[in-house]
Amino acid sequence: MKRPIPLKSVYAFVAVAETGSMTDAAQLLSVSHSAISQSIKNLESQLGQKLFIRQGRSVSLNSTGRHYYKQIAPALEQIVSATEKLIEQQHSQRITLNMINSLVMHWWIPHVDRFNQFAPNIDIRISNLTGHFKMESEGIDVAIIHGNTHDWSDYYCELLATDELVLTASPELIDVYTTPESILKQYPAIIVTNDRRKDDWKIWCKSHQLPEPAYTQNLKFSASIQAVQATIRKLGIFVSHRHFIRDEVSQGSLVEVGLPICNPNQDFYFACPPEKLKNENILLLRNWLRQEFSQ
């Protein structure tokens, strides 16, 4: 087997040929001037021929160098192109998916195994930005919006599911005679105080024509994940978003009391920049989300 030409020497040769300067070639390849100079010397030594005419600090190809450049430059371009395509293909398998943290904790994590079985080659990266943001500048491919689409008119939005509010409790706190009205009289209400959740009890009580629990006489938490855990531990009862407690209900650690009601203020939406719909993996993710949210 013939002794191979080091690829770094070929890169150095093409860079010097195209820039006409070893200094500029060094900057282009992010190496030192001496590294470029040594690569060119090694290449000329291995070929047994000079390739450049040196004129002070500038260099230019001689006739041999020009002939060599015409032969290898297209081949090097093919190497670079093939490498970039492989990298792009790898990155195209990666989707950055944004959703609020409570949805990650209550819905996404319990469904990860199901998605990995559905699309084992897609790499999902989770982001937890809240409020309105520009997906492109934040590096977000897809967002699951829990709210409305008023601020997302520049994006493709598709309804995944209506949002339902439901009263939940530990199964140890109820019996066959329990009603929403009776359990409210027996146990403290667990309230989440953040802006996204603070009206949940009000909306639920208004729909059921029941008095809203007193704010000062009940348990309060800043996040729904805390409230769910407190409910599981029988510290009180909690009005939750139904999709957030599906896993706990299926495992028997929580039960629904009474009928759920539609939340008039927010629903669940799939959103992405319109051009992202050309990506087959994003279409796969959308189809899977449609299926999961419909159950």
Side-chain angles (χ1 to χ4, degrees), residues 167-186:
L167 183 63
T168 63
S170 165
E172 297 182 35
L173 300 186
I174 69 167
D175 56 36
V176 294
Y177 303 106
T178 299
T179 64
E181 185 174 9
S182 66
I183 201 171
L184 269 172
K185 294 177 180 178
Q186 290 179 278

Side-chain angles (χ1 to χ4, degrees), residues 53-92:
I53 301 171
R54 291 160 175 81
Q55 299 169 325
R57 293 186 176 181
S58 65
V59 293
S60 58
L61 293 169
N62 59 23
S63 59
T64 302
R66 287 194 297 271
H67 180 70
Y68 186 56
Y69 174 80
K70 289 179 180 179
Q71 287 185 311
I72 70 166
L76 185 60
E77 181 62 30
Q78 285 186 320
I79 293 173
V80 172
S81 177
T83 303
E84 288 177 346
K85 285 181 180 179
L86 279 178
I87 294 173
E88 182 180 349
Q89 182 179 1
Q90 181 183 7
H91 287 171
S92 69

Side-chain angles (χ1 to χ4, degrees), residues 99-110 128 130 146 194 196-197 223-225 228 241 243-245 268:
M99 66 185 82
I100 57 175
N101 191 54
S102 53
L103 194 57
V104 174
M105 297 297 295
H106 296 303
W107 190 86
W108 174 254
I109 291 177
N128 299 131
T130 58
H146 185 206
N194 69 61
R196 293 182 59 83
R197 305 284 173 257
S224 60
I225 185 70
V228 168
H241 298 263
H243 277 286
F244 288 5
I245 58 161
F268 296 95

Side-chain angles (χ1 to χ4, degrees), residues 33 43 51 91 94 97-98 137 162-163 170 174 202 224 233 236 239 260-261 266 271-272 282 286 289 295:
H33 183 282
L43 180 61
L51 301 171
H91 287 171
R94 181 182 302 165
L97 173 62
N98 191 86
S137 60
T162 55
D163 186 25
S170 165
I174 69 167
K202 181 179 180 179
S224 60
R233 294 179 179 275
V239 169
I261 62 111
Q266 51 194 14
C272 72
I282 286 180
R286 183 186 64 174
L289 289 171
Q295 295 180 7

Side-chain angles (χ1 to χ4, degrees), residues 168 190-192 221-232 236 238:
T168 63
I190 296 174
I191 299 170
V192 175
F221 296 94
S222 62
S224 60
I225 185 70
Q226 300 163 344
V228 168
Q229 290 302 310
T231 308
I232 291 172
F238 176 47

Side-chain angles (χ1 to χ4, degrees), residues 154-171:
D154 293 336
Y155 298 95
Y156 170 84
C157 294
E158 177 181 321
L159 179 67
L160 291 172
T162 55
D163 186 25
E164 295 179 306
L165 295 172
V166 64
L167 183 63
T168 63
S170 165

Side-chain angles (χ1 to χ4, degrees), residues 21-27 31-39 57:
S21 166
M22 290 195 182
T23 300
D24 291 345
Q27 292 177 348
V31 298
S32 66
H33 183 282
S34 60
I36 291 290
S37 178
Q38 188 60 48
S39 292
R57 293 186 176 181

